[in-house]
Amino acid sequence: MATITDVAHRANVSKNTVSRYLNNRGYISKETRGKIQDAIDSLHYQPNQIARSLYNNKTNIVGLVIPDVIQPFFATMTSKIEDQLAAHDYRMILCNTMHSSEKEKKCISMLTANKVDGIIIGSHSIDINYKNIEAPIVALDRDLADTIPVVNANHTQGGILASEAVIGHGCKNVAQIIGNTKVRSPSIQRHRVFAEQMRAHGIKCSTFELKLNQFEFSTYLGMADHFFASNPGIDGIFASDLVILAFQRTALEHGVKVPDDLFMCGYDGSFVYQTGYPPFPTIIQPFDQLAKTLVDVLIKRMNHDSDVRLTYTLPVRMSDGHETDNFDPDLEPTLMPLFPDCGTAN
Amino acid sequence: MATITDVAHRANVSKNTVSRYLNNRGYISKETRGKIQDAIDSLHYQPNQIARSLYNNKTNIVGLVIPDVIQPFFATMTSKIEDQLAAHDYRMILCNTMHSSEKEKKCISMLTANKVDGIIIGSHSIDINYKNIEAPIVALDRDLADTIPVVNANHTQGGILASEAVIGHGCKNVAQIIGNTKVRSPSIQRHRVFAEQMRAHGIKCSTFELKLNQFEFSTYLGMADHFFASNPGIDGIFASDLVILAFQRTALEHGVKVPDDLFMCGYDGSFVYQTGYPPFPTIIQPFDQLAKTLVDVLIKRMNHDSDVRLTYTLPVRMSDGHETDNFDPDLEPTLMPLFPDCGTAN
């Protein structure tokens, strides 16, 4: 493996000059820069990033701490955050906490031991003191501490849009299913607003709180089955998309007319809301904008830029479930006239 | 922030003894170990992992390179791989390549610069020479090089199970939709076997190849719409779960009787296959076993253990789509008698 000495030798400059080139320090003539880069390329020289991290006190690594990347909201955010970080030349360590405060503590401890430049936290454990963490932090939809910026969708707007959909359909007796309130999140606001709207319009509204650690979609199906048996007479449901899909499937299995007799309104808007039929309206979180804002704010924090607010609230929008992208003929699947190696077609 | 000197002082031992304790080197009495750990805990001492990585030539970080974590197969694998790695005290850098060889090259280059201990690769670009990568590698369902172990589901078994389902239903004219064949993956085998079975049973089988870069579920919906218009007469479809969900939703929108007139068989078995109604049979990949095997094999490689095969093929199973976990009453959502702060209920 090539070393910095090999590069210096090939480019006919000193090791110090190569080091300055790699770390972008001091003046180096264009000609010399060219010679060094040529030497790097031809030798396939790989700087030792660890040594550089130690030297520069900067790792170019950011941690992302979330409950579980299987959940479509977090899968989508992870993908878009990774993309934004990569565009700024940061790499991303992913930690799934599974709502375990032990696991979360261990993650955070490891991230700080590895001197990551910053951490985006979308998880929350009540027995962690986030102020004590020795790294710049930005929160995704979690209230961690009053000094940590939080980026989230406009859940007030979301609650109003959901209630308008339910009222517009003519529901009289609705249920909303909320995440466990041990997790302190701004998203509770959408359910508070929804409950207020229902009360203001004389619509009965029952609020159900999910137990923690419910990740498996199949447990949502079992829960939905039991729910319908215990709560006849519900004619509308407001919940996250995954919960809605479970409730919709279960309702259809029981021969319930959806949406006529049971109206569903979802929340999140990751791809998964489009898998159900019949389509249901959902409040779409601004995934791209959330990711961009999270990374922009974190970079400011990492650069000690004081032009940082404590809350960033981004607009949501409603989809009636019938949207599909205009079909792009370039994406049409091609027909393979024969399957490779399979001889003649039938 | 506490230093190793502070710990030594608090524990009344030398810095060298603390260093040996942290790196598990040499004999230290139980009493002394206790004093050191107490000092570490009370001072909240955080070893500098970067310095240790440089010293030990080991980072305890593994890279995971995949096309896109939004895709449920990869979200599920990412979650389970992270869990397995964490159990072995490894952290995971996640890279989404989006099927871009530029992005993949950049990822891999960064991972080796950061001296990750190993890399799990579930992506594939034809213009990368994987043999040249200076790190232990294990492949997830990709044929990267003849010296790189690959772990995948038993796609031959999968193809046979799918064909049995289709034959059992009485289909006469089926379509199978496959991933882009530029991506060299053992999973092509399930489609080869399926095509052979169809031919052997006198069932017409047309194979359609997806274009690359089709991540958006909404493009699958548009594609399905166009597909049905161009291919009337198809009475069975075999594809991955996500594609099946798109085709099923589109078929239902067109009033097609599913599964009576159009039978669907899926592949993968992540949670998403359960969101559709009516339920469809799917071949379930052994996610837990895949993740455990990938990590076990990678650890062997990282430890220069030669007891490593080049292929690990793990059994799949069929689900008819009607499975749900037995409902656990502990997971029943609780009813909140009032929504907090909302005054009296209706």
Side-chain angles (χ1 to χ4, degrees), chain A residues 1 46-51 53-54 59 61 68-70 72 75-76 78-80 82-83 86 89 91-96 98 103 106-107 109-110 112-115 134 176 178 181 188 191-192 195-196 198-199 202-212 214 216-219 221-223 226-227 230 242 245 249 252-253 271-277 279 321-322 324-325 327 329-336 339-344 346, chain B residues 1 46-51 53-54 59 61 68-70 72 75-76 78-80 82-83 86 89 91-96 98 103 106-107 109-110 112-115 134 176 178 181 188 191-192 195-196 198-199 202-212 214 216-219 221-223 226-227 230 242 245 249 252-253 271-277 279 321-322 324-325 327 329-336 339-344 346:
Chain A
M1 194 159 65
Q46 191 73 253
N48 185 332
Q49 182 59 39
I50 300 181
S53 299
L54 204 58
T59 55
I61 297 176
D68 191 353
V69 74
I70 292 182
T76 309
T78 298
S79 179
K80 291 179 185 291
E82 193 273 351
D83 192 52
D89 282 330
R91 285 300 133 182
M92 187 181 81
I93 289 180
L94 177 66
C95 299
N96 271 357
M98 300 296 189
K103 195 159 185 218
K106 204 173 163 190
C107 284
S109 179
M110 172 282 308
T112 48
N114 275 289
K115 305 244 177 280
E134 301 204 21
Q176 63 170 348
I178 76 178
T181 53
I188 193 85
H191 296 293
R192 181 172 291 130
E196 284 169 359
M198 292 302 102
R199 186 182 49 170
I203 298 170
K204 183 162 187 252
C205 174
S206 314
T207 299
F208 294 82
E209 180 183 10
L210 287 173
K211 295 284 201 314
L212 221 50
Q214 270 179 286
E216 298 287 338
F217 185 78
S218 48
T219 68
L221 289 171
M223 179 179 80
H226 193 258
F227 178 92
S230 318
L242 263 196
L245 282 162
R249 175 176 156 166
L252 293 169
E253 276 171 351
F271 78 92
V272 85
Y273 87 92
Q274 297 181 315
T275 63
Y277 186 81
H322 291 273
T324 53
D325 284 351
F327 176 64
D330 283 344
L331 293 181
E332 184 177 356
T334 52
L335 176 61
M336 300 175 70
F339 197 89
D341 316 331
C342 268
T344 50
N346 291 321
Chain B
M1 193 160 65
Q46 191 71 260
N48 184 334
Q49 182 59 38
I50 300 182
S53 299
L54 205 59
T59 55
I61 298 177
D68 190 356
V69 74
I70 291 182
T76 308
T78 298
S79 179
K80 292 180 184 292
E82 192 275 350
D83 191 52
D89 283 330
R91 286 299 132 184
M92 187 181 81
I93 289 180
L94 177 67
C95 301
N96 270 359
M98 300 297 189
K103 194 159 186 219
K106 204 174 163 190
C107 284
S109 179
M110 172 283 307
T112 49
N114 275 289
K115 305 243 177 281
E134 300 205 20
Q176 64 171 347
I178 75 178
T181 52
I188 193 87
H191 295 293
R192 180 172 292 131
E196 283 168 1
M198 292 303 101
R199 185 182 50 168
I203 299 170
K204 183 163 188 252
C205 174
S206 314
T207 300
F208 293 83
E209 182 183 6
L210 287 172
K211 296 282 202 315
L212 222 48
Q214 271 179 285
E216 299 286 338
F217 185 77
S218 50
T219 68
L221 289 172
M223 178 179 80
H226 194 258
F227 177 92
S230 319
L242 263 196
L245 282 162
R249 174 177 155 163
L252 292 169
E253 275 172 351
F271 78 91
V272 84
Y273 87 93
Q274 296 180 316
T275 63
Y277 185 81
H322 291 275
T324 52
D325 285 351
F327 176 62
D330 283 344
L331 293 181
E332 186 177 354
T334 52
L335 177 60
M336 300 174 71
F339 197 90
D341 314 334
C342 269
T344 50
N346 291 322

Side-chain angles (χ1 to χ4, degrees), chain B residues 87-283:
Chain B
H88 289 93
D89 283 330
Y90 285 95
R91 286 299 132 184
M92 187 181 81
I93 289 180
L94 177 67
C95 301
N96 270 359
T97 67
M98 300 297 189
H99 283 306
S100 151
S101 68
E102 271 319 296
K103 194 159 186 219
E104 189 172 349
K105 283 181 197 172
K106 204 174 163 190
C107 284
I108 290 171
S109 179
M110 172 283 307
L111 289 171
T112 49
N114 275 289
K115 305 243 177 281
V116 295
D117 294 340
I119 310 177
I120 295 172
I121 301 185
S123 201
H124 177 255
S125 301
I126 48 171
D127 58 347
I128 293 179
N129 188 338
Y130 294 91
K131 281 193 191 183
N132 279 354
I133 299 169
E134 300 205 20
I137 297 176
V138 181
L140 163 59
D141 219 13
R142 293 290 182 271
D143 297 313
L144 301 180
D146 51 19
T147 52
I148 294 176
V150 55
V151 179
N152 47 261
N154 189 335
H155 296 300
T156 298
Q157 181 198 8
I160 288 172
L161 287 171
S163 52
E164 284 173 357
V166 162
I167 292 161
H169 189 80
C171 297
K172 300 283 173 237
N173 182 5
V174 307
Q176 64 171 347
I177 298 165
I178 75 178
N180 195 283
T181 52
K182 278 208 186 77
V183 177
R184 290 182 47 220
S185 163
S187 60
I188 193 87
Q189 185 62 9
R190 69 193 185 218
H191 295 293
R192 180 172 292 131
V193 163
F194 184 84
E196 283 168 1
Q197 290 293 308
M198 292 303 101
R199 185 182 50 168
H201 286 81
I203 299 170
K204 183 163 188 252
C205 174
S206 314
T207 300
F208 293 83
E209 182 183 6
L210 287 172
K211 296 282 202 315
L212 222 48
N213 296 335
Q214 271 179 285
F215 294 119
E216 299 286 338
F217 185 77
S218 50
T219 68
Y220 289 172
L221 289 172
M223 178 179 80
D225 220 25
H226 194 258
F227 177 92
F228 284 126
S230 319
N231 299 281
I234 296 282
D235 63 4
I237 302 183
F238 173 42
S240 70
D241 294 334
L242 263 196
V243 174
I244 289 295
L245 282 162
F247 277 63
Q248 175 159 289
R249 174 177 155 163
T250 306
L252 292 169
E253 275 172 351
H254 290 183
V256 174
K257 284 208 191 69
V258 176
D260 298 350
D261 296 341
L262 181 60
F263 180 74
M264 311 270 184
C265 182
Y267 204 102
D268 278 344
S270 74
F271 78 91
V272 84
Y273 87 93
Q274 296 180 316
T275 63
Y277 185 81
F280 53 86
T282 196
I283 283 83

Side-chain angles (χ1 to χ4, degrees), chain A residues 33-279:
Chain A
R33 296 170 72 80
K35 285 199 295 184
I36 296 175
Q37 188 58 47
D38 285 346
I40 286 172
D41 291 341
S42 59
L43 290 166
H44 302 294
Y45 169 70
Q46 191 73 253
N48 185 332
Q49 182 59 39
I50 300 181
R52 294 176 76 195
S53 299
L54 204 58
Y55 181 81
N56 294 328
N57 209 25
K58 186 168 169 54
T59 55
N60 272 87
I61 297 176
V62 165
L64 175 62
V65 181
I66 55 172
D68 191 353
V69 74
I70 292 182
Q71 292 181 272
F73 171 80
F74 286 110
T76 309
M77 286 309 306
T78 298
S79 179
K80 291 179 185 291
I81 288 168
E82 193 273 351
D83 192 52
Q84 285 288 322
L85 288 170
H88 288 91
D89 282 330
Y90 285 94
R91 285 300 133 182
M92 187 181 81
I93 289 180
L94 177 66
C95 299
N96 271 357
T97 66
M98 300 296 189
H99 283 306
S100 152
S101 68
E102 268 321 296
K103 195 159 185 218
E104 187 170 350
K105 282 181 197 170
K106 204 173 163 190
C107 284
I108 290 171
S109 179
M110 172 282 308
L111 288 171
T112 48
N114 275 289
K115 305 244 177 280
V116 294
D117 293 340
I119 311 177
I120 295 171
I121 300 185
S123 201
H124 176 256
S125 301
I126 48 172
D127 59 346
I128 292 180
N129 189 338
Y130 293 91
K131 281 190 189 183
N132 279 354
I133 299 170
E134 301 204 21
I137 297 176
V138 181
L140 163 60
D141 220 15
R142 293 290 183 271
D143 298 314
L144 302 180
D146 52 18
T147 52
I148 294 176
V150 55
V151 180
N152 49 262
N154 188 336
H155 295 301
T156 298
Q157 181 198 7
I160 288 173
L161 288 171
S163 53
E164 283 173 0
V166 162
I167 293 161
H169 189 79
C171 297
K172 301 285 173 234
N173 182 6
V174 308
Q176 63 170 348
I177 298 165
I178 76 178
N180 194 282
T181 53
K182 277 207 186 79
V183 176
R184 289 183 46 220
S185 163
S187 60
I188 193 85
Q189 184 63 7
R190 70 193 184 219
H191 296 293
R192 181 172 291 130
V193 163
F194 184 84
E196 284 169 359
Q197 290 292 310
M198 292 302 102
R199 186 182 49 170
H201 286 82
I203 298 170
K204 183 162 187 252
C205 174
S206 314
T207 299
F208 294 82
E209 180 183 10
L210 287 173
K211 295 284 201 314
L212 221 50
N213 297 334
Q214 270 179 286
F215 293 117
E216 298 287 338
F217 185 78
S218 48
T219 68
Y220 288 175
L221 289 171
M223 179 179 80
D225 219 26
H226 193 258
F227 178 92
F228 285 126
S230 318
N231 299 280
I234 296 283
D235 64 4
I237 302 183
F238 173 43
S240 70
D241 294 334
L242 263 196
V243 174
I244 289 294
L245 282 162
F247 275 64
Q248 175 158 290
R249 175 176 156 166
T250 306
L252 293 169
E253 276 171 351
H254 291 184
V256 174
K257 283 207 190 71
V258 176
D260 298 350
D261 296 341
L262 181 60
F263 181 74
M264 310 273 185
C265 182
Y267 204 102
D268 278 346
S270 74
F271 78 92
V272 85
Y273 87 92
Q274 297 181 315
T275 63
Y277 186 81

